Amino acid sequence: MDFKLPDIGEGVHEGEITKWLVKVGDPIQADFPMVEVMTDKATVEIPSPVTGTIEAIFAQEGQTIEVGKVLVKIAEKGKSATPKVDAPKVEAVAPPPKAAPSVTTSEKPSQREVTAPKQDHQVLSFTVLATPATRKLARDLGVDLNQVKATGPHGRVTKIDVQMAHGSIEAASPRSSHPSSHSTVALSKATKIQIPAKGEIERIPLRGVRKKIAEAMSYSKRTAAHFTYVEEVDMSAIVELRKSAANEAEKKGVKLTFLPFIIKSLIPALQEFPFLNASLDDDAQEIIIKGDYNIGIATDTERGLVVPNIKSADRKSVWELAKEIGELSESCRTGKIAIEDLKGGTFTITNAGSIGGVFATPIINHPEVAILGVNAIRKRPVVKDDKIVIGDVMFLSLSVDHRVVDGADAARFMNRLVYFLSEPKRLVFA
């Protein structure tokens, strides 16, 4: 069979081959990874749909190919192998394709008729419309997708549908690190390089995560009319609140950082200023206001920046936010992150505070229209009740797209954010 590059994400129309995990002549089991393909800041492991033998490979590492192009030919087990007709060993590599036209951001899950094995020998039909992440969740929970009522667009089964069918809607979705997982994204460790000798240079191909970061940042700076607004906030009350919750955090086994408090303060500010929780459709010339609050957390990894997001952050407690932040960060840094965790963000926080710095001018995470830079908390003199005291002061850097957000609204938004951060008890009445 000819296996084509599937549609593996919202808005994905091409992918870069970063690493082949098989070679011609290798046996391959159904559902085991064959190739790593770079899409949207991460390397997706594409599994084999069938058990068989690799007959031919049609793309080289470093090549970018379009969705729907043939990646590999597989001789299925139990079927006669295709006669070999002088096929080249690294296998009829076509020239790199031209960039494909942009597509809509609606999810288009694969409809390949294959089956995914489960340890208890049950199978799940791929004729059901569902994303790889949803299929993995269904396998983990033992849910038959054929029996699940679909509520997604075009009859697509969603994660919520699977959880509802399992009766565990409140349960967190498992994030397996099994190498054959459909739902995870491999973030391999950075290649260690030696410093060139004096007078020498070393050229490193711009590819993989770094290439995607370069493309995304360049596009964002080229299209969005960036401006950055900086404000300071006295975080003393939150510093004390976090300190008082230390014992409870230890009991819950949760690492409680400042980010959950910042997210909780961010939500009412975004609700008051919805144009910051939006995106701009350049083609349609429409501003899209989002009803969801999916807060992206820019995460530093050994291969570069990855931005998973917390879905429905407005519905989660400080403890739930802290737990999810920890899980997402760990998934990014250890090498596995669910594809769906990288999609659908509405607003991003980038936090360099643990490293240092007074303030920054962060680049917007396209297609969003705003990003908040969180910086180091430092002891500084502040004025309280006309007295100079020592406070825990932090600078906030808000970059917004001036095509969508006016400067006055950005300033008012920051005032509301500071209002909640400086006195977190106000959140009770938000």
Side-chain angles (χ1 to χ4, degrees):
M1 67 168 292
D2 287 340
F3 180 78
K4 300 175 182 178
L5 178 63
D7 189 340
I8 47 180
E10 78 181 90
V12 172
H13 54 79
E14 63 182 15
E16 179 189 340
I17 307 300
T18 56
K19 184 179 181 181
W20 278 103
L21 307 176
V22 295
K23 61 182 183 296
V24 173
D26 280 356
I28 184 75
Q29 295 290 321
D31 209 32
F32 276 68
M34 298 185 296
V35 61
E36 293 178 357
V37 179
M38 169 58 59
T39 66
D40 194 22
K41 301 182 182 179
T43 305
V44 182
E45 289 184 346
I46 304 293
S48 172
V50 296
T51 295
T53 303
I54 303 298
E55 278 197 297
I57 294 174
F58 296 99
Q60 291 178 330
E61 292 182 1
Q63 181 180 342
T64 299
I65 69 168
E66 298 174 351
V67 168
K69 296 291 185 181
V70 177
L71 269 180
V72 62
K73 182 185 288 290
I74 306 171
E76 297 181 55
K77 186 176 181 180
K79 294 186 179 182
S80 298
T82 304
K84 296 181 180 179
V85 186
D86 297 327
K89 188 115 178 168
V90 174
E91 297 93 350
V93 175
K98 296 180 180 178
S102 61
V103 297
T104 60
T105 58
S106 61
E107 205 163 5
K108 300 175 182 177
S110 170
Q111 300 184 53
R112 292 178 281 117
E113 293 213 24
V114 298
T115 56
K118 193 176 185 292
Q119 287 185 349
D120 59 6
H121 304 296
Q122 297 178 5
V123 296
L124 300 174
S125 172
F126 268 64
T127 58
V128 175
L129 285 172
T131 63
T134 301
R135 296 183 187 286
K136 176 61 171 62
L137 177 59
R139 291 200 301 275
D140 287 340
L141 297 180
V143 173
D144 183 352
L145 286 180
N146 293 288
Q147 306 301 318
V148 176
K149 181 179 179 181
T151 63
H154 310 295
R156 175 172 59 84
V157 175
T158 68
K159 274 189 171 183
I160 298 295
D161 297 335
V162 173
Q163 290 171 331
M164 286 289 288
H166 186 258
S168 57
I169 185 63
E170 298 299 330
S173 302
R175 292 186 177 88
S176 170
S177 60
H178 190 282
S180 65
S181 169
H182 286 279
S183 64
T184 54
V185 175
L187 298 174
S188 305
K189 292 185 177 180
T191 301
K192 302 297 183 182
I193 63 170
Q194 294 183 342
I195 298 175
K198 183 175 177 61
E200 296 180 356
I201 63 171
E202 181 175 355
R203 292 181 179 269
I204 301 173
L206 183 62
R207 61 174 59 166
V209 174
R210 179 51 53 193
K211 181 179 179 181
K212 290 297 179 183
I213 292 173
E215 291 172 352
M217 295 299 98
S218 296
Y219 184 83
S220 181
K221 286 293 285 185
R222 188 169 65 249
T223 57
H226 281 67
F227 80 89
T228 301
Y229 184 87
V230 180
E231 184 58 275
E232 68 176 3
V233 56
D234 183 358
M235 295 284 286
S236 300
I238 286 182
V239 168
E240 289 302 314
L241 182 59
R242 175 173 174 257
K243 213 177 280 185
S244 67
N247 290 337
E248 185 69 17
E250 186 175 353
K251 290 178 184 177
K252 291 179 179 290
V254 173
K255 181 180 180 182
L256 185 60
T257 67
F258 291 106
L259 276 179
F261 300 101
I262 294 171
I263 293 173
K264 291 295 287 185
S265 301
L266 187 64
I267 297 302
L270 288 173
Q271 289 170 336
E272 290 184 46
F273 296 91
F275 276 91
L276 279 89
N277 194 60
S279 61
L280 179 61
D281 186 331
D282 292 289
D283 294 331
Q285 287 296 286
E286 294 175 339
I287 298 171
I288 303 171
I289 307 296
K290 308 294 178 64
D292 294 319
Y293 297 88
N294 301 336
I295 306 302
I297 306 296
T299 305
D300 180 36
T301 74
E302 292 189 13
R303 285 190 67 186
L305 191 67
V306 180
V307 189
N309 62 82
I310 298 173
K311 301 293 191 296
S312 301
D314 55 314
R315 301 178 184 178
K316 294 176 179 175
S317 68
V318 166
W319 296 117
E320 289 170 324
L321 292 171
K323 181 180 179 182
E324 192 161 347
I325 289 168
E327 290 174 347
L328 291 175
S329 298
E330 184 68 12
S331 295
C332 288
R333 290 178 181 130
T334 58
K336 298 289 180 181
I337 181 70
I339 296 173
E340 289 193 357
D341 289 332
L342 298 174
K343 301 187 300 185
T346 63
F347 184 98
T348 295
I349 298 173
T350 179
N351 177 20
S354 59
I355 301 173
V358 178
F359 70 88
T361 56
I363 298 174
I364 298 165
N365 184 25
H366 181 83
E368 297 165 18
V369 298
I371 183 171
L372 180 69
V374 177
N375 301 287
I377 298 175
R378 292 176 176 170
K379 297 287 186 183
R380 287 192 175 89
V382 296
V383 177
K384 290 184 178 180
D385 300 323
D386 294 328
K387 295 180 181 178
I388 298 176
V389 297
I390 302 300
D392 296 289
V393 177
M394 177 174 68
F395 285 92
L396 301 170
S397 309
L398 177 72
S399 289
V400 300
D401 189 342
H402 215 330
R403 298 176 300 170
V404 177
V405 183
D406 293 330
D409 282 338
R412 294 186 186 103
F413 168 82
M414 286 285 266
N415 287 344
R416 292 302 283 168
L417 179 57
V418 169
Y419 173 81
F420 292 114
L421 284 173
S422 59
E423 289 290 347
K425 62 186 179 184
R426 291 168 176 160
L427 289 168
V428 175
F429 305 101

